[in-house]
């Protein structure tokens, strides 16, 4: 985490420079070597900043292979976004060490971390403590069901702000606001803006973003990293448009 050339360093440096980042989420259940080859080519051409690998429920054992495939075929960093401690690959560049601070499920706040602590520490991965906030996206998503925890209501900006502030003061190095993969409604810009104004650490935003315009507006509102999974699974050519929109946000936004 303290490495000058690490992923967290790159995230904070980009934030300080006012640069917005684009992370493509890869669900290892939904890819194979053929689709990965195509995805990586498009991602390199579009100059995306990061890959996230994982999901709330992964049923295949393709995570390690998926991460290695990325590492062997491009220079884009691969960051683990694990739904459970079993979703680990020591070949990744870093790990979002998620604590579900929007929920009151002790297991996802600290329980699973205790059980897996020794293995995670031995992995040698760069660990990025992340306050993970699920925001209601208008319909149950896999993350809301699996986490067994109520999401923050979409119109309760003050709850989101206070949750993010508490997470930061507890030492979280990143805040990730997620409406859940495939959310019917992505997170509103007003909520993103209020949370962004209340914290100093980089803010990751994802869930249900389908249009480049929405990605752009989220960045203008204060998101530092935009995560997109579903929309790109459905149409991988969207990568270029999304990257262009995110990277076109003026640095003083
Ligand atoms: C989910 O934020 C990510 O955890 C991405 O969501 O798949 O809806 O883009 P989508």
């Amino acid at each position: 985490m303290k490495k000058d050339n690490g992923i967290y360093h790159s995230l904070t440096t980009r934030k300080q420079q006012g640069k917005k980042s684009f992370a493509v989420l890869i669900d290892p259940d939904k890819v194979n070597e053929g689709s990965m080859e195509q995805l990586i080519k498009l991602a390199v051409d579009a100059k995306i900043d990061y890959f996230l690998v994982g999901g709330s429920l992964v049923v295949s054992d393709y995570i390690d292979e998926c991460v290695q495939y990325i590492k062997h075929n491009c220079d884009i960093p691969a960051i683990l976004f694990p739904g459970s401690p079993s979703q680990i690959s020591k070949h990744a560049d870093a790990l979002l060490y998620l604590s579900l601070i929007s929920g009151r499920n002790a297991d996802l706040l600290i329980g699973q971390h205790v059980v897996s602590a020794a293995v995670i520490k031995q992995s040698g991965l760069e660990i990025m403590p992340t306050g993970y906030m699920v925001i209601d996206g208008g319909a149950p998503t896999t993350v809301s069901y699996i986490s067994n925890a109520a999401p923050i209501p979409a119109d309760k900006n003050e709850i989101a702000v206070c949750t993010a502030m508490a997470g930061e003061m507890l030492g979280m190095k990143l805040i990730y606001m997620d409406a859940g993969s495939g959310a019917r409604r992505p997170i509103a810009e007003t909520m993103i803006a209020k949370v962004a104004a209340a914290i100093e650490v980089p803010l990751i935003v994802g869930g249900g973003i389908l249009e480049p315009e929405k990605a752009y507006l989220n960045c203008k509102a204060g998101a530092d990293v935009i995560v997109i999974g579903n929309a790109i699974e459905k149409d991988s050519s969207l990568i270029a448009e999304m990257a262009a929109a995110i990277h076109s946000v003026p640095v003083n936004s």
Side-chain angles (χ1 to χ4, degrees):
M1 197 168 69
K2 296 187 187 97
K3 287 189 292 183
D4 276 353
N5 57 353
I7 301 298
Y8 189 68
H9 181 75
S10 82
L11 283 163
T12 50
T13 303
R14 289 179 67 80
K15 181 177 171 71
Q16 279 157 15
Q17 295 170 341
K19 289 184 186 161
K20 306 298 182 177
S21 304
F22 178 25
V24 170
L25 173 63
I26 299 180
D27 179 340
D29 283 349
K30 297 188 184 151
V31 288
N32 55 44
E33 219 166 277
S35 62
M36 285 291 291
E37 187 181 348
Q38 160 84 348
L39 186 65
I40 287 176
K41 187 179 176 324
L42 291 168
V44 169
D45 288 348
K47 299 191 170 58
I48 76 157
D49 303 290
Y50 305 99
F51 278 117
L52 293 194
V53 183
S56 307
L57 180 68
V58 175
V59 294
S60 70
D61 59 358
Y62 189 57
I63 286 189
D64 193 47
E65 243 178 280
C66 182
V67 168
Q68 289 198 59
Y69 193 86
I70 295 170
K71 297 311 299 170
H72 287 151
N73 289 285
C74 66
D75 294 326
I76 300 166
I79 302 174
L80 295 170
F81 173 47
S84 75
S86 63
Q87 294 177 30
I88 299 298
S89 163
K90 65 178 179 358
H91 298 100
D93 294 282
L95 167 75
L96 291 180
Y97 197 56
L98 305 165
S99 180
L100 183 64
I101 59 174
S102 60
R104 299 297 178 267
N105 177 341
D107 208 31
L108 299 181
L109 274 164
I110 183 67
Q112 295 201 359
H113 310 69
V114 174
V115 171
S116 59
V119 173
I120 300 286
K121 186 139 191 169
Q122 278 162 22
S123 73
L125 285 163
E126 180 184 348
I127 307 295
M128 302 192 291
T130 304
Y132 187 51
M133 296 170 41
V134 178
I135 314 296
D136 188 15
T141 57
T142 306
V143 64
S144 62
Y145 177 79
I146 294 281
S147 66
N148 193 22
I152 294 176
D155 59 348
K156 298 292 183 200
N157 294 339
E158 62 286 4
I159 297 179
V161 166
C162 291
T163 305
M165 282 169 49
E168 182 176 63
M169 288 189 287
L170 279 166
M172 302 294 170
K173 298 295 184 196
L174 297 166
I175 296 291
Y176 187 160
M177 296 170 77
D178 196 350
S181 200
R184 197 174 289 162
R185 281 196 309 266
I187 301 169
E189 287 115 65
T190 45
M191 181 182 274
I192 295 168
K194 285 181 192 299
V195 169
I199 58 172
E200 311 220 327
V201 298
L203 176 62
I204 307 172
V205 174
I209 300 170
L210 306 178
E211 314 280 347
E213 174 73 5
K214 177 59 177 154
Y216 180 87
L217 291 173
N218 285 354
C219 290
K220 287 280 285 178
D224 296 297
V225 183
I226 299 292
V227 181
I228 300 179
N230 260 273
I232 285 166
E233 277 165 22
K234 292 196 181 108
D235 176 9
S236 55
S237 67
L238 253 185
I239 289 188
E241 282 175 62
M242 291 288 188
I246 292 163
H247 292 150
S248 73
V249 178
V251 292
N252 55 359
S253 296

